[in-house]
Amino acid sequence: MGKRELQESVIELKGIGEKTGKLFNKIGVNTLGDLLYYFPRGYDLFEEPRRACDLKENIICACKLTIIGSVTRRHVRNLSIVAFEAADETGRVKMTFFNAPYLVNSIKSGSTYIFRGVVRRKGNFFSMDHPKMYKVEEYAPLIGSLQPRYPLTKGLSNNTVMKAVDKAFISAGGLEEFMPYEILERLHLIGYLEALRKIHFPKNADELENARRRLAYNEFLVFVLKLRLLKQNSEEIKNNYPMIEVADTTRLLEQLPYRLTGAQLRAWEDIKRDLESDHVMNRLIQGDVGSGKTVLALLSLITAAANGYQGALMAPTEVLAAQHFESFKSLIKKYDIKCLKVALLTGALSAKDKKEVQRQISEGEVNCIIGTNALIQDKVIYKNLALVITDEQHRFGVRQRGTFAGKGEGTHVLAMSATPIPRTLAIILYGDLSISIVDELPGGRKPIKNCVVGTGYRPTAYKFIADQVASGSQVYVICPMIEEGELDGVENVVSYTQMLRATLPESVNIEMLHGKMKPAQKDAIMEAFARKDIDVLVSTTVIEVGINVPNATVMMIENSERFGLSQLHQLRGRVGRGEKQSYCIFINSSDDEDAAKRLDIMNRSNDGFVIAEVDLKQRGPGDLFGVRQSGELCFKVGDIYHDSDLVRESAMDADRILSTDPDLLLPQHNVLKELVSTKSANFVDFTTL
Ligand code: ADP
Ligand code: MG
């Protein structure tokens, strides 16, 4: 097989020297094998040429136009600029080329081309800078085909990557098929080499989909096999920290101003049963935003503490960790929870404070440690860590979870996640964990009222916000950027805050929050907001995960069109957390019909499941990959929603394979065994990390 060749360095390829080789190394491509696995980020479609009146801003369009008037050439400093206009019966487009003086001679007024490039609008005009020009007969055979778009680095062009990949395939000639034939046939999957080739160079959308499915299946099968083998090893880990139910939790549940929902109660029973059982807990709590997961963490931490152990809660952001810390402190005071001694450990602490907290942890002076990934640094030594909880698990890489658990011996693990995955899939994909699903929102909540509107609606929105503030509620406004000048036409927190201060009545207290602020400053702002000292908080997405201020009833999101639907759902989840009616205003700043259509689902549903599914269906071939690349369950090409059938099949196939060959020792399972034993980012391994 071509395995040895695939280990060869990319500079072995003709046309790639040391310099280009270094650029490839920079993007993580060292060998020919790496190159074959350097998948496109998306594809550009060679579309049917449009009419000028159908052009759309900011996307790549192809348009059949005839050059009109004269071709001009001028110089601005060192730059030579060639410009002309081209038109059809529906409109005109300005074309500009930089440093291409030769064009003046080759381009003739009256000739017709297909121009393909990014469309911009300058005033009343559409324009294209440096469009590719095709003769009409040259473009015709390309229509419908896809061109790969690779993630690049400065100095490395898409074309260079394309050529290199193409050449690498020559060495891959003998790449071996390793998937059992029976599986390929049953699922109509194409061959391995063919799939690799077509993921780079699909002739059309169908070919791309076939390639993607085959490679997705590889990922799922290997993933599930890993889980199965892992589970065999870890199922029998003894409970080193057995616990009993304690009076403090029962008392807290009686005193809280609300009763747990049925779903919360079931999850709490699951947790208690685990902690008392003979085996260590490995549990995932899955529940949509606002379903009330935090109280389950609190109850578990109290149980650990009252049993004489330490417990830790890790959050993905400092802002959220600090909030948990503050809210736990106030609950401890309010309900007199004497057994719980909390500490906060984040990167934001001064070196001195950090040392002090670390001392308290190692000497066992504190037993409930809340923090960010600062909790898992080597320097932190726990006295008797029995329970680790990760909040917003979907925001962490899996490795982090593993390392965290590795801080203690046979530590109980509770992961809390808001990823909306159907139960049947969750059981497969979190095969190593037991799962509790919190599928009920606390009663008495009024569904959030939504509206998706254009920028013209802002004055009405501001008036509404002022009224809500006057009635005692609080408001979030989200802008994508921090400061001015980052991107045209995109709102930023700093300017927006100033503008709002000038627009809203003086009595409204408006503050801002963003990632460039000092941690102490961020904490101060969040605390002030929680205390109601701030009425309107203008923020970036730093508040996206976990933040809980039930008195906030309005969420206004500027440039909604720039966010993913699932992200919008998380942001919206910051309101609707109390009994008051809440509202979410999505401002759509683009005049693109597709954006409007996409956002409309936010109007129609408050359900994370529904939104995740629609999110997926609305994606085009241009953005197949990379949408869900953060957090865990990030497969390179597989998408657990879109390919849910394959996920299910892979689970059954994994069981079939392991039932005949439990340790993958048969020769036909050689490659599978190799794949299963390589560590990959989406591998959950509590036992060895
Ligand atoms: P999430 O699941 O998104 O982490 P939280 O745990 O932050 O949700 O809970 C959201 C809000 O709901 C909090 O203000 C919390 O106090 C409240 N809450 C939790 N459980 C209940 C319940 N059973 N009834 C009423 N309110 C609840
Ligand atoms: Mg939460």
Side-chain angles (χ1 to χ4, degrees):
M1 70 183 253
K3 199 172 162 194
R4 196 168 41 83
E5 287 87 336
L6 292 180
Q7 305 289 349
E8 275 177 16
S9 165
V10 278
I11 50 174
E12 303 292 324
L13 288 178
K14 226 174 130 197
I16 295 189
E18 288 281 332
K19 202 166 139 229
T20 315
K22 286 227 169 71
L23 292 173
F24 272 108
N25 298 157
K26 208 162 150 193
I27 54 171
V29 173
N30 299 308
T31 65
L32 299 188
D34 294 341
L35 206 45
L36 296 187
Y37 272 87
Y38 197 67
F39 295 162
R41 180 162 47 90
Y43 303 84
D44 289 329
L45 176 69
F46 285 90
E47 57 174 4
E48 198 72 59
R50 304 171 182 230
R51 298 181 306 169
C53 64
D54 294 330
L55 287 176
K56 281 204 177 151
E57 245 179 294
N58 295 329
I59 59 169
I60 295 180
C61 296
C63 192
K64 183 176 165 185
L65 302 168
T66 304
I67 296 169
I68 52 170
S70 59
V71 178
T72 64
R73 180 170 134 194
R74 61 201 162 92
H75 280 274
V76 177
R77 281 188 226 105
N78 294 339
L79 211 61
S80 98
I81 301 175
V82 171
F84 55 85
E85 283 185 17
D88 64 11
E89 61 282 5
T90 72
R92 289 189 297 174
V93 182
K94 278 187 181 162
M95 306 291 172
T96 311
F97 294 82
F98 303 102
N99 285 338
Y102 50 87
L103 279 176
V104 175
N105 300 324
S106 59
I107 287 180
K108 297 273 171 301
S109 184
S111 33
T112 300
Y113 290 93
I114 310 294
F115 294 88
R116 184 167 179 275
V118 180
V119 178
R120 307 270 180 223
R121 191 197 282 275
K122 288 183 189 153
N124 282 336
F125 263 103
F126 278 128
S127 71
M128 286 182 172
D129 289 348
H130 264 288
K132 278 238 162 83
M133 292 169 60
Y134 300 86
K135 297 205 178 91
V136 177
E137 63 277 14
E138 202 180 15
Y139 192 81
L142 292 175
I143 293 174
S145 73
L146 297 161
Q147 189 181 45
R149 208 163 2 94
Y150 292 97
L152 300 170
T153 186
K154 201 166 178 245
L156 190 67
S157 74
N158 201 54
N159 216 8
T160 308
V161 181
M162 257 170 74
K163 279 193 187 142
V165 172
D166 192 36
K167 284 186 191 139
F169 271 105
I170 299 168
S171 301
L175 204 63
E176 192 182 17
E177 179 60 70
F178 61 88
M179 192 65 76
Y181 181 70
E182 179 275 320
I183 295 180
L184 294 182
E185 200 181 45
R186 176 166 42 85
L187 301 176
H188 308 290
L189 296 175
I190 63 175
Y192 185 36
L193 187 59
E194 187 187 355
L196 276 179
R197 174 135 201 118
K198 288 186 174 161
I199 199 90
H200 288 283
F201 307 115
K203 286 216 183 60
N204 52 44
D206 277 351
E207 277 200 7
L208 173 61
E209 179 60 4
N210 287 338
R212 211 192 51 76
R213 272 176 75 81
R214 164 61 210 259
L215 297 173
Y217 196 73
N218 283 7
E219 291 186 299
F220 295 144
L221 183 66
V222 169
F223 183 82
V224 176
L225 282 170
K226 277 181 181 177
L227 284 180
R228 294 285 196 269
L229 293 173
L230 185 67
K231 195 164 188 185
Q232 284 170 13
N233 298 333
S234 68
E235 215 155 39
E236 295 305 309
I237 295 184
K238 200 176 119 250
N239 184 353
N240 286 328
Y241 305 98
M243 302 184 197
I244 53 166
E245 186 166 4
V246 296
D248 300 78
T249 54
T250 328
R251 189 169 55 83
L252 179 64
L253 287 176
E254 275 164 15
Q255 291 177 351
L256 280 176
Y258 54 79
R259 300 273 71 84
L260 292 192
T261 62
Q264 280 172 313
L265 272 178
R266 281 193 296 279
W268 175 226
E269 290 300 325
D270 290 342
I271 295 169
K272 277 192 294 186
R273 203 174 343 97
D274 286 348
L275 295 176
E276 291 167 19
S277 81
D278 295 339
H279 299 295
V280 69
M281 171 165 77
N282 258 323
R283 183 166 292 281
L284 173 76
I285 305 280
Q286 212 197 306
D288 206 350
V289 272
S291 59
K293 298 182 289 293
T294 317
V295 66
L296 299 172
L298 176 64
L299 290 167
S300 312
L301 289 162
I302 292 174
T303 305
N307 276 278
Y309 304 123
Q310 286 177 317
L313 172 61
M314 180 158 84
T317 62
E318 268 162 20
V319 174
L320 182 55
Q323 185 199 276
H324 280 325
F325 178 64
E326 292 302 325
S327 88
F328 278 27
K329 270 202 314 201
S330 77
L331 289 168
I332 288 172
K333 201 158 148 212
K334 189 163 174 196
Y335 298 106
D336 194 26
I337 312 172
K338 288 207 178 62
C339 65
L340 216 53
K341 306 268 182 288
V342 282
L344 178 68
L345 183 63
T346 66
L349 295 186
S350 69
K352 189 164 149 250
D353 289 348
K354 227 181 267 173
K355 251 200 172 134
E356 170 58 11
V357 175
Q358 285 166 2
R359 187 193 60 74
Q360 294 173 342
I361 296 173
S362 64
E363 294 181 10
E365 273 172 37
V366 290
N367 56 18
C368 174
I369 303 103
I370 300 173
T372 52
N373 53 8
L375 290 179
I376 57 175
Q377 283 168 357
D378 289 340
K379 279 174 274 179
V380 190
I381 300 178
Y382 295 84
K383 183 161 182 240
N384 58 354
L385 185 66
L387 167 69
V388 296
I389 305 178
T390 48
D391 191 15
E392 309 284 346
Q393 167 66 40
H394 50 289
R395 284 314 192 89
F396 290 105
V398 179
R399 271 171 197 284
Q400 264 173 334
R401 177 153 54 111
T403 322
F404 198 17
K407 282 276 172 195
E409 286 283 302
T411 314
H412 296 293
V413 174
L414 187 64
M416 305 198 295
S417 165
T419 318
I421 309 177
R423 187 183 185 99
T424 48
L425 286 185
I427 288 172
I428 298 170
L429 294 167
Y430 293 99
D432 57 330
L433 304 179
S434 316
I435 300 178
S436 306
I437 299 202
V438 187
D439 52 2
E440 208 178 315
L441 290 183
R445 299 252 176 99
K446 301 187 180 74
I448 299 170
K449 290 192 175 158
N450 303 290
C451 63
V452 180
V453 288
T455 49
Y457 184 80
R458 280 186 191 133
T460 318
Y462 299 149
K463 196 170 167 308
F464 180 71
I465 287 174
D467 288 347
Q468 286 283 310
V469 170
S471 74
S473 294
Q474 290 164 280
V475 177
Y476 297 101
V477 178
I478 304 295
C479 300
M481 299 294 160
I482 296 177
E483 289 159 334
E484 187 148 7
E486 288 175 73
L487 259 180
D488 268 3
V490 180
E491 299 301 325
N492 72 83
V493 167
V494 174
S495 318
Y496 209 95
T497 306
Q498 285 164 358
M499 182 279 291
L500 270 188
R501 282 184 181 142
T503 310
L504 293 178
E506 226 162 87
S507 57
V508 179
N509 190 6
I510 305 163
E511 289 295 341
M512 62 180 168
L513 183 75
H514 58 70
K516 275 196 191 160
M517 288 161 72
K518 293 226 169 66
Q521 212 181 349
K522 275 190 274 187
D523 291 353
I525 294 280
M526 262 337 288
E527 279 166 38
F529 190 65
R531 274 200 314 270
K532 289 203 214 176
D533 288 350
I534 295 171
D535 302 308
V536 177
L537 187 63
V538 184
S539 171
T540 54
T541 54
V542 286
I543 59 123
E544 178 187 340
V545 294
I547 291 303
N548 182 45
V549 179
N551 190 52
T553 58
V554 182
M555 167 62 74
M556 174 166 171
I557 305 173
E558 286 287 349
N559 296 107
S560 293
E561 75 282 358
R562 302 185 64 88
F563 296 102
L565 293 181
S566 296
Q567 195 179 12
L568 289 174
H569 180 61
Q570 292 289 329
L571 283 168
R572 171 168 64 186
R574 298 311 116 219
V575 297
R577 304 190 138 238
E579 275 162 20
K580 289 197 208 170
Q581 176 64 56
S582 287
Y583 305 87
C584 191
I585 305 164
F586 300 92
I587 303 286
N588 174 8
S589 302
S590 97
D591 46 17
D592 189 67
E593 280 163 40
D594 293 342
K597 226 166 88 192
R598 198 169 69 88
L599 287 173
D600 185 50
I601 182 62
M602 302 307 296
N603 255 339
R604 285 183 284 127
S605 178
N606 284 325
D607 183 330
F609 274 99
V610 176
I611 287 161
E613 271 177 11
V614 173
D615 195 2
L616 172 93
K617 285 203 192 107
Q618 292 186 347
R619 272 187 277 154
D623 45 32
L624 266 179
F625 308 130
V627 175
R628 272 178 248 273
Q629 292 295 2
S630 67
E632 61 184 338
L633 297 185
C634 55
F635 296 98
K636 212 167 165 195
V637 294
D639 185 303
I640 54 169
Y641 299 89
H642 185 77
D643 306 316
S644 58
D645 59 325
L646 292 183
V647 174
R648 292 197 181 88
E649 295 286 345
S650 71
M652 288 185 284
D653 283 333
D655 288 338
R656 264 190 290 255
I657 291 171
L658 292 175
S659 73
T660 55
D661 186 12
D663 297 307
L664 300 178
L665 297 176
L666 294 175
Q668 66 265 40
H669 296 147
N670 267 351
V671 179
L672 270 182
K673 168 133 191 143
E674 205 176 302
L675 290 171
V676 167
S677 30
T678 48
K679 286 222 160 123
S680 74
N682 53 19
F683 180 29
V684 193
D685 187 348
F686 291 112
T687 51
T688 58
L689 281 173

